[in-house]
Amino acid sequence: MREWARAAAAPTTVTAVVNVGDDLWLSGLRVCPDLDSVMYALAGVNDAERGWGRAGERERVAGELAAYGTGWPWFTLGDLDLGTHIARTGWLHEGLPLSEATRRLAARWDLGVELLPASDDPVETHVVTDAGELHFEEWWTRHRGTVPARRFVQHGVELARPGPGVLAAIAETDLVLLAPSNPVVSIGTILGIDGIREAVRATAAPVVGVSPIIGGAVVRGMADACLEAIGVETSARAVGAWYGARSSAGLLDGWLVGEEDAEAVPALEAAGLRAASVPLWMRDPSTTARMVEAAVALARRD
Amino acid sequence: MREWARAAAAPTTVTAVVNVGDDLWLSGLRVCPDLDSVMYALAGVNDAERGWGRAGERERVAGELAAYGTGWPWFTLGDLDLGTHIARTGWLHEGLPLSEATRRLAARWDLGVELLPASDDPVETHVVTDAGELHFEEWWTRHRGTVPARRFVQHGVELARPGPGVLAAIAETDLVLLAPSNPVVSIGTILGIDGIREAVRATAAPVVGVSPIIGGAVVRGMADACLEAIGVETSARAVGAWYGARSSAGLLDGWLVGEEDAEAVPALEAAGLRAASVPLWMRDPSTTARMVEAAVALARRD
């Protein structure tokens, strides 16, 4: 409780720049897995047990699709979740950009965080395998990442511009936090959009990353398979080194690793990064709050 | 029961050529009100009480749309119904024509009737009012036909070709029945598609229509407002005369009117139509069966 009270006493605004590379069209509906996951989680309506979608979900619509012999058995959309996709798709068809559709969706909930799509332009992460290219969500959700990934392609990324407010948010913030998200296909996609990496490099604010690898294990998802494809070891130290220190053309001022990775701290420090090890498994809100406090402390450390 | 037993003894195939002019896109989903109404009714899963959509319907998805401050309060789509639209839209996005998407939807049910969209090409019926143009479904469902219609426009109809099998069904059948449907915007739209009116005029089969007006009242919908817009009186006699006798460049060999309109029969016969009056309110299956039998008898009359 103390942590939350303290946070409430210091009014802050938080802007989340969210990956759009996993977005996909399903039967004419625009599905944005990352934006929706963040929105549902912040709204407190996510299905924490299952790890995706809405709590209290039913699948009557998906049942109809199955009865018609169609649908996406590997990517079942619940009824409540479909409401989000249909609302968004309607706004996109009216000509609104994704950022405005996202703002309208978020307006329903009390998120406490502003959600900005990394881009209003379509960027689609594909996985190149020996059997051909797959949309990232198909590779991840359908094949559980078991088909070896040769490399990742972000279609459209070279044409994509940062979404409205993204560069300003990075330039004007007091602290940039790189979430413990997939460094290759989530954060990597965001950083690949024209100007975003440069904005992170140029901001006056300290940049602190939180390792998505804890004791050699991924927090969630297929970061290990993704890292393997780009030739980076699945370790907190290797990922920190891959992002690199701002002082040597990298992105980070600080790198927070798990308590399991305490032994990596000296090497990271030697490479020009402020590093610290703390509990990174976000078991409950107070652990998460302490993790964020540690990141802030690392940012403030001289 | 007798009627059904008799029908079962005489194997027949029935092909329904269905209006597509009311079809619309809602938030990227292709909605086909007439095809779906016919499909649900023949499948026995329609909501007979409400008069549209699926029985046992819920509106969880629509509730989400409302919570996001969007959707179409005047055109609420139930969850089960949305399954149909999403399945169809998915197939259309795969490049399949509407006729094939319709065949796949119908394959789920035991319809006993082949459903053919009048066209695979988009035709969109709009209502011209003093306040501008409205999609027919918006005029009908949202405004309940209360905004005076000046005229109807079938956008795309001049480019539309008959759907696969439509002309052949008309040419090769033993009997063409014009359903007691809206003569202006439903049957009128079908007949406006290149070659369909000519096929009805040219078929060797007798053509019998069933009046959509009974005792001056419409069976359903806004046929009266539609007839008024084209300057045709809302009466069984006037609609029969408007379709016209095949013997004088019209479409009909016979015209079935309600028992309430028995006095119109001599005038219709004088105009070159075989005419008869029978109960036309389709209160139950046996009344409907007797109505169809009367239409068949009229077709066979010399």
Side-chain angles (χ1 to χ4, degrees):
Chain A
M1 292 297 290
R2 273 234 316 278
E3 291 79 2
W4 294 111
R6 215 178 302 151
T12 54
T13 59
V14 177
T15 305
V17 177
V18 181
N19 175 39
V20 295
D22 294 7
D23 296 2
L24 67 168
W25 290 100
L26 285 177
S27 295
L29 295 174
R30 191 61 171 166
V31 180
C32 300
D34 286 357
L35 280 165
D36 292 344
S37 292
V38 175
M39 180 172 78
Y40 294 156
L42 289 171
V45 297
N46 60 313
D47 187 328
E49 216 160 298
R50 197 170 53 169
W52 54 275
R54 293 277 300 272
E57 190 56 288
R58 293 187 62 187
E59 294 171 359
R60 263 162 81 86
V61 179
E64 288 298 299
L65 293 174
Y68 284 124
T70 186
W72 329 273
W74 54 273
F75 202 83
T76 301
L77 300 176
D79 299 337
L80 302 175
D81 196 26
L82 271 167
T84 302
H85 311 317
I86 295 174
R88 172 169 42 232
T89 303
W91 288 320
L92 294 177
H93 276 283
E94 287 174 19
L96 299 179
L98 178 62
S99 50
E100 173 61 16
T102 302
R103 196 194 62 72
R104 291 188 181 192
L105 290 173
R108 171 181 174 187
W109 317 99
D110 180 25
L111 299 186
V113 168
E114 189 182 13
L115 295 191
L116 297 183
S119 180
D120 277 339
D121 302 315
V123 177
E124 205 166 284
T125 302
H126 282 211
V127 184
V128 180
T129 74
D130 287 342
E133 257 190 55
L134 295 170
H135 188 286
F136 177 75
E137 286 289 335
E138 189 167 9
W139 177 74
W140 183 34
T141 309
R142 184 177 203 167
H143 299 289
R144 301 270 149 207
T146 53
V147 184
R150 294 305 165 207
R151 60 196 176 91
F152 298 92
V153 189
Q154 271 90 14
H155 290 289
V157 75
E158 66 286 348
L159 296 170
R161 293 148 302 168
V166 168
L167 295 184
I170 297 168
E172 293 159 17
T173 189
D174 301 312
L175 169 63
V176 175
L177 270 182
L178 260 59
S181 181
N182 191 312
V184 185
V185 293
S186 301
I187 297 184
T189 300
I190 296 174
L191 293 170
I193 294 166
D194 186 43
I196 296 187
R197 175 182 293 273
E198 293 68 25
V200 174
R201 293 255 320 131
T203 182
V207 179
V208 173
V210 180
S211 176
I213 310 294
I214 306 174
V218 297
V219 170
R220 227 187 117 184
M222 308 284 166
D224 45 354
C226 297
L227 287 166
E228 195 186 331
I230 64 164
V232 175
E233 186 189 278
T234 301
S235 76
R237 193 205 48 74
V239 174
W242 178 70
Y243 280 129
R246 272 223 280 187
S247 55
S248 42
L251 289 167
L252 298 174
D253 297 301
W255 186 237
L256 207 59
V257 301
E259 44 188 354
E260 299 84 343
D261 298 300
E263 88 288 347
V265 169
L268 288 160
E269 296 265 356
L273 288 167
R274 301 173 210 162
S277 69
V278 295
L280 286 195
W281 291 109
M282 292 180 268
R283 284 188 188 83
D284 48 57
S286 73
T287 310
T288 305
R290 275 195 299 273
M291 178 187 90
V292 175
E293 283 186 320
V296 173
L298 199 60
R300 287 185 177 148
R301 211 180 79 187
D302 286 324
Chain B
M1 290 298 287
R2 275 236 314 278
E3 291 79 1
W4 293 111
R6 216 178 302 153
T12 54
T13 60
V14 177
T15 305
V17 176
V18 181
N19 175 41
V20 295
D22 295 7
D23 295 3
L24 66 170
W25 290 100
L26 285 177
S27 295
L29 296 174
R30 191 62 171 165
V31 180
C32 300
D34 286 359
L35 280 165
D36 292 343
S37 292
V38 174
M39 180 173 77
Y40 294 156
L42 290 171
V45 298
N46 60 312
D47 187 327
E49 215 161 298
R50 198 170 52 168
W52 53 275
R54 292 278 299 272
E57 190 55 289
R58 291 187 62 186
E59 294 171 358
R60 262 162 83 85
V61 179
E64 288 300 297
L65 293 175
Y68 283 124
T70 187
W72 330 273
W74 54 275
F75 202 82
T76 302
L77 299 177
D79 300 337
L80 301 176
D81 196 26
L82 271 166
T84 303
H85 310 318
I86 295 173
R88 171 170 41 229
T89 303
W91 287 320
L92 294 176
H93 276 283
E94 286 173 22
L96 299 180
L98 179 61
S99 49
E100 174 60 17
T102 302
R103 196 194 62 73
R104 292 189 180 191
L105 291 172
R108 171 180 174 189
W109 316 97
D110 180 25
L111 299 187
V113 169
E114 189 183 14
L115 295 190
L116 297 184
S119 180
D120 276 341
D121 302 315
V123 177
E124 206 167 283
T125 302
H126 282 210
V127 184
V128 181
T129 75
D130 287 343
E133 258 189 52
L134 296 170
H135 188 286
F136 177 76
E137 286 290 335
E138 188 166 11
W139 176 75
W140 182 35
T141 309
R142 182 177 204 168
H143 299 289
R144 301 269 148 208
T146 55
V147 185
R150 297 303 166 209
R151 61 196 175 88
F152 298 92
V153 189
Q154 270 90 16
H155 289 290
V157 75
E158 65 287 345
L159 297 170
R161 293 147 302 167
V166 168
L167 295 185
I170 296 169
E172 293 159 17
T173 189
D174 301 311
L175 169 63
V176 175
L177 270 181
L178 260 62
S181 181
N182 191 313
V184 184
V185 295
S186 301
I187 297 185
T189 301
I190 297 174
L191 292 171
I193 294 165
D194 187 42
I196 297 188
R197 176 183 291 274
E198 293 68 24
V200 174
R201 295 255 319 132
T203 183
V207 180
V208 172
V210 180
S211 176
I213 309 294
I214 306 175
V218 298
V219 169
R220 228 187 114 184
M222 307 285 166
D224 45 353
C226 297
L227 287 167
E228 195 186 330
I230 63 163
V232 174
E233 188 190 278
T234 300
S235 75
R237 192 203 50 75
V239 174
W242 178 71
Y243 279 130
R246 271 221 281 186
S247 54
S248 42
L251 289 168
L252 299 174
D253 297 303
W255 186 238
L256 206 59
V257 300
E259 43 189 355
E260 300 85 343
D261 297 300
E263 86 289 346
V265 169
L268 289 160
E269 296 265 355
L273 289 168
R274 299 173 213 164
S277 69
V278 295
L280 286 195
W281 291 109
M282 291 181 269
R283 285 187 186 87
D284 48 56
S286 72
T287 310
T288 304
R290 274 195 300 271
M291 178 187 87
V292 174
E293 282 187 318
V296 173
L298 200 60
R300 286 182 177 153
R301 211 179 79 185
D302 285 324

